[in-house]
Amino acid sequence: MDYTLDLGAVTRNLGPLFDGLAVTLQLTVAANIIGITAGFGLALLVLSRFALLRLPAMLFVEFFRCTPAIVQIVWFFYCVPMLFNVFLDPITMGVLALGLNLTAFNAEAYRASIQAVPREHLDAGIALGLTPAQRVLNIVLPQAMRASVPVLLTNGIGTFQQSALVAIVGVADLMYQGKTLATQTYRPIETFTIIALFYLAVSFPVSQLVGWLERRRGLAAR
Amino acid sequence: MTAIPQDAALVRITDLHKGYGAHIKVLRGLNIEMKPGERVVVIGPSGGGKSTLLRVVMGLEEIQQGSVTFAGKPYISAEGSKTRIDTEQRKKIGMVFQHYTLFPHLTVLQNLTLAPRKVHGVSRSAAEDRGRAILARFGLDAKADAYPSQLSGGQKQRVAIARALMLDPQLMLFDEVTSALDPELVAEVEAVILQLASQGMPMMMVTHDMWFARNVASRVIFCAGGVVVEDGPPEQVLGNPKEERTREFIDRVFHIKG
Ligand SMILES: Nc1ncnc2c1ncn2[C@@H]1O[C@H](COP(=O)(O)OP(=O)(O)O)[C@@H](O)[C@H]1O
Ligand SMILES: [Mg+2]
């Protein structure tokens, strides 16, 4: 294969790539804000004693867990405007699609951490005279929140990576800018390698942080 | 039964029935009357309902039939399919569990001050002063700012006892508080309980340590099959039981201990 690498073709055009990265980060941060807050509310619904609250919440979670993210995004972009007559700009649509997906996954993380709080701690809370609300606030939530952090971060980087899917519906994110640049310059190898490095540069430190948090937790649990 | 006036009992358990689900019957008509100042040790075969009994007295469980009074006033009663528990009465009772229950996200001192501050509205500084004083009494003053993960099992259980004492309980419940501990750590926890006993703290406890039971108990109850089989002073129940089932159990326990 007589293909000579020419990184210059890409490095001369970093501008659009950084624009794309900015959009990708914008999607990621916004989707995470939705996922971290709404995910918690959804977890409470999933754990509700009332079937009327619990069942729809569980259905929501399962829908997002059991369908491919790309199908969710495409469905969102094409079906929501038609079904509900709602027309939003592509980035907002992307944020909502990614955010709802993350909400479902984060709800699972919160639910698992809430249920992982040992029963005996709640018994001790009763023995200490704490009211149900005080037990939730002072015993369950602090422990569950701490236990959730690594999974929330992992899900958060997952969304960062999945956000590349919105390129196929025309959102000008990092992936989209990369595709455009690769086509313009006929340099797919250089372009997509550099795109991959962009994603890696953001994900890797976060994944290291997760590893560190989990090791620290493991030590503290002894 | 001798006629003891109602207010003479600290705890009066009457015809207590308690099971889990429809099929597991654990306590089947249990009656116990505990007088103030008594230190009751409950012994019996594993799975016989000793923990269940203590958990009922702590107000942690629903019951199917019967009632419990505390300090002469109604505390727990079965009413139809509901269990009524007086939560004000419940606050007068403290409990330490077999499993470690210190809250891992709080320091030792924060574990101690949480309930006084939230439940009794004690100021932080007053609660902390009290907490440090109790920790000092138990030789734990150096651990006030440590997290539970930094403590040994024996220290954790001593802190758990200190935490319960912060609320000035009128009755302490101990459910096998040393059975999760390495053997060399048992003594330091038992010493703290003996210290409380010598100060007159009423207590009801489950233990498999017969030597400790004999040292701490003013009364021993042998529970099996969900009822009280034998009830008397430690010399009798542990030393010279009247009931055949108690005798078999005691023989077996002492044989295992070698
Ligand atoms: N939460 C529960 N659900 C169902 N069964 C239980 C529960 N807790 C205890 N039991 C059962 O009740 C019986 C008595 O248990 P327990 O009170 O722990 O006995 P002990 O403390 O004397 O060993 C056992 O057969 C046990 O399996
Ligand atoms: Mg038990």
Side-chain angles (χ1 to χ4, degrees), chain B residues 121-199:
Chain B
V122 178
S123 76
R124 176 208 282 265
S125 65
E128 286 185 347
D129 290 348
R130 179 84 198 284
R132 285 184 199 282
I134 294 184
L135 288 175
R137 220 169 91 200
F138 291 173
L140 290 162
D141 18 358
K143 298 292 178 188
D145 298 316
Y147 281 89
S149 60
Q150 299 165 305
L151 303 181
S152 73
Q155 289 168 335
K156 282 184 206 174
Q157 290 300 63
R158 283 188 285 154
V159 172
I161 296 171
R163 184 174 70 178
L165 292 178
M166 290 291 289
L167 300 167
D168 292 313
Q170 296 169 31
L171 170 68
M172 279 295 299
L173 306 172
F174 298 99
D175 186 9
E176 294 195 46
V177 294
T178 58
S179 50
L181 299 180
D182 293 334
E184 73 270 20
L185 302 176
V186 169
E188 63 185 65
V189 177
E190 290 183 345
V192 164
I193 297 174
L194 283 169
Q195 182 187 331
L196 289 179
S198 71
Q199 290 158 359

Side-chain angles (χ1 to χ4, degrees), chain A residues 69-122:
Chain A
I70 190 159
V71 174
Q72 294 163 17
I73 288 169
V74 171
W75 191 90
F76 212 82
F77 270 79
Y78 291 105
C79 302
V80 167
M82 286 161 71
L83 288 177
F84 305 106
N85 214 19
V86 181
F87 298 92
L88 300 166
D89 67 285
I91 292 186
T92 310
M93 292 287 275
V95 164
L96 287 176
L98 293 167
L100 291 180
N101 172 286
L102 186 57
T103 297
F105 280 87
N106 282 355
E108 273 304 285
Y110 285 123
R111 182 201 54 76
S113 328
I114 289 172
Q115 288 184 325
V117 174
R119 252 217 75 82
E120 290 90 354
H121 286 195
L122 292 171

Side-chain angles (χ1 to χ4, degrees), chain B residues 20-21 24 26 44-53 61 175-176 206 208:
Chain B
Y20 297 96
I24 308 167
V26 181
S46 169
K50 305 179 298 294
S51 296
T52 302
L53 169 62
E61 298 284 351
D175 186 9
E176 294 195 46
V206 177
H208 288 297

Side-chain angles (χ1 to χ4, degrees), chain B residues 45-242:
Chain B
S46 169
K50 305 179 298 294
S51 296
T52 302
L53 169 62
L54 259 55
R55 292 176 57 82
V56 166
V57 175
M58 188 61 252
L60 300 175
E61 298 284 351
E62 312 234 296
I63 62 174
Q64 279 81 54
Q65 193 179 319
S67 67
V68 182
T69 66
F70 186 77
K73 291 203 272 305
Y75 170 30
I76 301 169
S77 59
E79 287 170 15
S81 62
K82 282 228 159 71
T83 302
R84 191 180 294 274
I85 300 176
D86 184 328
T87 53
E88 284 307 308
Q89 289 274 69
R90 181 163 67 184
K91 287 180 187 166
K92 300 171 191 161
I93 303 173
M95 181 160 179
V96 182
F97 300 81
Q98 174 174 358
H99 301 283
Y100 304 131
T101 60
L102 295 184
F103 307 130
H105 58 288
L106 300 179
T107 65
V108 165
L109 196 59
Q110 287 165 344
N111 263 278
L112 264 62
T113 57
L114 177 67
R117 292 177 58 199
K118 303 286 173 193
V119 180
H120 297 275
V122 178
S123 76
R124 176 208 282 265
S125 65
E128 286 185 347
D129 290 348
R130 179 84 198 284
R132 285 184 199 282
I134 294 184
L135 288 175
R137 220 169 91 200
F138 291 173
L140 290 162
D141 18 358
K143 298 292 178 188
D145 298 316
Y147 281 89
S149 60
Q150 299 165 305
L151 303 181
S152 73
Q155 289 168 335
K156 282 184 206 174
Q157 290 300 63
R158 283 188 285 154
V159 172
I161 296 171
R163 184 174 70 178
L165 292 178
M166 290 291 289
L167 300 167
D168 292 313
Q170 296 169 31
L171 170 68
M172 279 295 299
L173 306 172
F174 298 99
D175 186 9
E176 294 195 46
V177 294
T178 58
S179 50
L181 299 180
D182 293 334
E184 73 270 20
L185 302 176
V186 169
E188 63 185 65
V189 177
E190 290 183 345
V192 164
I193 297 174
L194 283 169
Q195 182 187 331
L196 289 179
S198 71
Q199 290 158 359
M201 170 70 76
M203 48 183 81
M204 192 182 279
M205 83 173 74
V206 177
T207 177
H208 288 297
D209 185 336
M210 293 302 152
W211 171 87
F212 181 57
R214 198 181 273 250
N215 268 290
V216 76
S218 65
R219 176 176 165 194
V220 177
I221 291 177
F222 174 65
C223 242
V227 294
V228 173
V229 174
E230 186 158 355
D231 180 351
E235 306 77 46
Q236 175 201 319
V237 182
L238 299 175
N240 188 17
K242 292 201 175 89

